[in-house]
Amino acid sequence: MWAEPLRGWRRVQALTQRTKFDRAGQVKQLLTVDYPNAETVVLVMDNLNTHGIALLYEAFEPGEAFALAQRLEIHHTPKHGSWLNISEIELSALSRQCLDRRISDLATLNTELAA
């Protein structure tokens, strides 16, 4: 999940798995599709092991990884402060709005998340 609350924007996508390579692809999409003209994108994230710059260097060629990493400014929330995590708040809102029932397949889930 990516969210920019002051702009009223969020992008949520459910994947079949959650690996560091999936995360790297999501970061690349954020920088090249969602914010292609931004010099710097500030990310506030929790301390999950897939939330770091190193994953870019594992997923992409060094030049591409460096170019992506140079555009990021990363801030981590405190380890015991998930209530500070905007994504947690967004997920709570999604749970109340559309995730309060069983959704049988990934395509339907992503349609619901996009809505």
Side-chain angles (χ1 to χ4, degrees):
M1 168 177 292
W2 304 100
E4 187 179 351
L6 295 178
R7 191 175 116 197
W9 174 84
R10 74 175 167 214
R11 180 169 51 82
V12 184
Q13 183 180 11
L15 303 171
T16 56
Q17 54 189 359
R18 188 177 67 187
T19 69
K20 59 187 169 188
F21 298 106
D22 297 317
R23 176 72 175 179
Q26 291 289 317
V27 170
K28 181 177 178 178
Q29 181 179 350
L30 181 75
L31 294 171
T32 60
V33 176
D34 299 323
Y35 295 95
N37 300 317
E39 287 182 32
T40 303
V41 174
V42 178
L43 299 181
V44 179
M45 304 181 291
D46 60 17
N47 290 288
L48 188 65
N49 63 345
T50 61
H51 292 176
I53 296 286
L55 65 98
L56 296 175
Y57 289 91
E58 293 180 46
F60 305 117
E61 294 296 320
E64 181 179 13
F66 181 77
L68 294 170
Q70 290 301 297
R71 295 184 52 214
L72 293 174
E73 180 181 326
I74 296 179
H75 300 275
H76 291 281
T77 58
K79 286 188 180 194
H80 299 289
S82 65
W83 55 273
L84 294 173
N85 191 331
I86 295 296
S87 289
E88 296 288 339
I89 295 166
E90 290 289 328
L91 284 171
S92 176
L94 278 172
S95 294
R96 289 189 306 275
Q97 292 171 359
C98 71
L99 301 178
D100 58 349
R101 66 195 185 289
R102 178 161 167 42
I103 298 175
S104 61
D105 62 271
L106 194 58
T108 304
L109 175 58
N110 277 312
T111 299
E112 292 287 323
L113 292 172

